[in-house]
Amino acid sequence: MSLLVVGSLALDTIETPFGKAERTLGGSATFISVAASYFTQPVRLVGVVGGDFPKKELEYFEEREIDLEGLQIVEDGKTFHWHGKYDYDLNNRESITTELNVFADFDPIIPDTFRKSRYLCLGNINPELQKKVYLQMENPKLIVADTMNFWISGKKEALIDVLQHINVFILNDSEARELSKEANLFKAAKKIQSYGPKIVIIKKGEHGALLFYEDELFSAPAYPLESIYDPTGAGDSFAGGFIGYIAKTDDISFENMKRAVIFGSTIASFCVEKFSLDGTRDLSHLVIKDRFNEFTRFSAFEPAEL
Ligand code: AMP
């Protein structure tokens, strides 16, 4: 089934205790569309880059059959630049700089051919832009949205407005606490559901994820990794794997969303093993399936009598 992804395309500077990468490929739409492209076709991308965006990366998107008809290239502008720094607790990061550049004037125009996409994934961008996107869509089956603390603190009202119109909201534990003003994640999820989305997914970094589906709950484990190199893009890769699998199966039931959460976690686990997009750039169905199966094996247990 068709999937439209809208979000940031970035040149990131990333510092972790294990190394530094400068002006490397990043952005929410990048990680989401690449992750989703392992599951479903067509994946359509809407975003904006400057003239400094490497041509070879555009070719890479095309090789993955990601449709770039909706990509705007501002030749005399600079691509969005984000500089993030992590300490040894890789769940915590600091945004050193966020230079919106061409994103500051971005008007997301959805090409006619994209408006009927069955699935829409709104990556982490200004919620005012997220709204402009869904208003142009013609009756999508499911809208998934992601965000980050930058928008929760800077554009809370606009974000709450977006939440009324989406079906699935994905955020991490600290964002859920900040948005809901609830310390407890169950209470936080219930409050966020009351803003609109009946399905809320709270990611807990290396501790897994919680899927709140109306009144049901699924607690997903994390894949136990021996080495984590760079967490950048893990959340977006999760969202891409999740919505990619939902779009492939065209099934939005609770049971299927549980599998989608595990596929999302699977792609996120590849993402963090290497710097920026290197962890997910070149996967195969075989390695994804193997890790999904291992995931299942690591977390399965039999019911027991007491
Ligand atoms: P994640 O680690 O999944 O939360 O996503 C990291 C990506 O989000 C990086 O590649 C950044 O380029 C991008 N990013 C960081 N801040 C913002 C922002 N304020 N708006 C849009 N994208 C951002």
Side-chain angles (χ1 to χ4, degrees), residues 15-16 27 66 82 84 88 90 112 138 164-166 179 181 202 207 219 222 229 237 254 261 265 268 286 305:
E15 289 179 73
T16 81
I66 295 168
W82 176 73
Y88 275 97
L90 292 166
D112 286 346
E138 292 174 21
Q164 292 175 39
H165 302 273
I166 63 158
L179 177 63
K181 301 267 179 283
I202 300 183
H207 306 297
S219 176
Y229 212 65
S237 301
F254 178 49
V261 165
S265 306
L286 194 65
E305 298 296 330

Side-chain angles (χ1 to χ4, degrees), residues 8 10-12 25-28 31 80 82 86 93 95 98 100 124-126 146 148 150-151 203 231-237:
S8 57
L11 293 175
D12 288 341
L25 180 60
S28 54
F31 289 106
F80 174 81
W82 176 73
Y86 299 82
R93 74 175 171 207
S95 289
T98 300
L100 293 178
N124 159 37
I125 46 171
N126 183 341
D146 188 7
M148 74 184 287
F150 186 81
W151 304 115
K203 297 164 292 175
T232 307
D236 302 316
S237 301

Side-chain angles (χ1 to χ4, degrees), residues 1-6 40-46 67 69-70 109-122 133-144 167 243 246-247 250:
M1 285 285 155
S2 50
L3 169 66
L4 172 61
V5 176
V6 185
T40 195
Q41 295 291 338
V43 175
R44 298 157 168 166
L45 182 61
V46 169
D67 190 334
E69 193 193 330
I109 299 162
I110 311 301
D112 286 346
T113 45
F114 286 11
R115 291 180 187 209
K116 285 194 171 69
S117 299
R118 293 288 281 156
Y119 291 88
L120 171 62
C121 188
L122 296 166
V133 172
Y134 68 66
L135 288 176
Q136 295 173 66
M137 297 300 288
E138 292 174 21
N139 203 19
K141 179 164 174 176
L142 193 84
I143 307 180
V144 177
N167 310 102
I243 188 60
I246 298 281
D250 197 23

Side-chain angles (χ1 to χ4, degrees), residues 164-294:
Q164 292 175 39
H165 302 273
I166 63 158
N167 310 102
V168 183
F169 190 43
I170 303 179
L171 70 178
N172 70 31
D173 42 5
S174 64
E175 292 159 355
R177 290 188 173 105
E178 186 179 342
L179 177 63
S180 64
K181 301 267 179 283
E182 293 283 359
N184 176 285
L185 290 181
F186 293 86
K187 287 188 181 158
K190 293 293 152 202
K191 190 143 174 205
I192 295 168
Q193 281 177 318
S194 77
Y195 297 148
K198 291 295 158 252
I199 301 164
V200 173
I201 300 176
I202 300 183
K203 297 164 292 175
K204 299 184 292 167
E206 59 188 327
H207 306 297
L210 297 169
L211 163 66
F212 295 86
Y213 186 107
E214 295 168 0
D215 291 327
E216 310 242 40
L217 170 67
F218 172 57
S219 176
Y223 183 83
L225 280 173
E226 277 184 32
S227 63
I228 300 181
Y229 212 65
D230 171 21
T232 307
D236 302 316
S237 301
F238 174 94
F242 171 84
I243 188 60
Y245 180 73
I246 298 281
K248 171 191 165 70
T249 51
D250 197 23
D251 174 353
I252 58 173
S253 67
F254 178 49
E255 284 308 314
N256 200 50
M257 273 199 196
K258 292 187 204 173
R259 284 188 285 273
V261 165
I262 301 297
F263 272 117
S265 306
T266 300
I267 305 294
S269 75
F270 286 115
C271 175
V272 301
E273 283 180 318
K274 295 190 182 153
F275 248 98
S276 69
L277 195 73
D278 290 349
T280 57
R281 203 181 254 284
D282 193 20
L283 296 173
S284 68
H285 284 153
L286 194 65
V287 297
I288 295 171
K289 244 186 100 206
D290 276 356
R291 188 163 285 187
F292 179 91
N293 290 343
E294 259 186 299

